[in-house]
Amino acid sequence: MEVPILKQGFYLIASIQSALTDEDLSQLREALVERVGRLRARGVIVDVTALDVMDSFAVRTLRDLAHMTKLRGAETVIVGIQPEVAFAMVQLGLTLKGVSTALDLEEGLAFLDMSGRERTRRG
């Protein structure tokens, strides 16, 4: 199942609507990394609100995605992790170390806006 990727200003938004296979997750990662360069995106939001479980492959793929897009010049934020998913991740020792997270899409957009302003001040 292909995940729709929307462009909003300088940001790409991928909203995962249902459980994905490992292959689907890999394709999403590759598509986002490619589009960051092609569309000159400065930020990526991956919305996982609809997911009621995240296994180790999904967590690792999202973590890798965030690191890859960072190397391409874009900040990534994972939004919408449900409380029970967060609880299970902690119990299983699955982390998104080094990856920004936010409560929802609105907070994710605000985070990217703030991050972009900080980069502009430093640059």
Side-chain angles (χ1 to χ4, degrees), residues 5-13 39-45 75 108-117 119:
I5 301 171
L6 306 173
K7 183 177 188 304
Q8 177 159 345
F10 292 112
Y11 306 141
L12 298 175
I13 302 170
L39 301 175
R40 299 195 174 281
R42 295 189 182 140
V44 174
I45 294 176
E75 186 75 32
L109 288 166
F111 175 84
L112 290 177
D113 287 342
M114 183 180 64
S115 180
R117 284 193 296 273
R119 272 190 287 183

Side-chain angles (χ1 to χ4, degrees), residues 15-20 25 46-55 58 62 78-86:
S15 183
I16 299 173
Q17 299 299 314
S18 62
L20 300 176
L25 282 165
V46 180
D47 186 349
V48 298
T49 304
L51 298 182
D52 56 3
V53 67
M54 285 187 15
D55 65 13
L62 291 174
I78 309 298
V79 303
I81 297 174
Q82 296 299 320
E84 57 276 2
V85 174

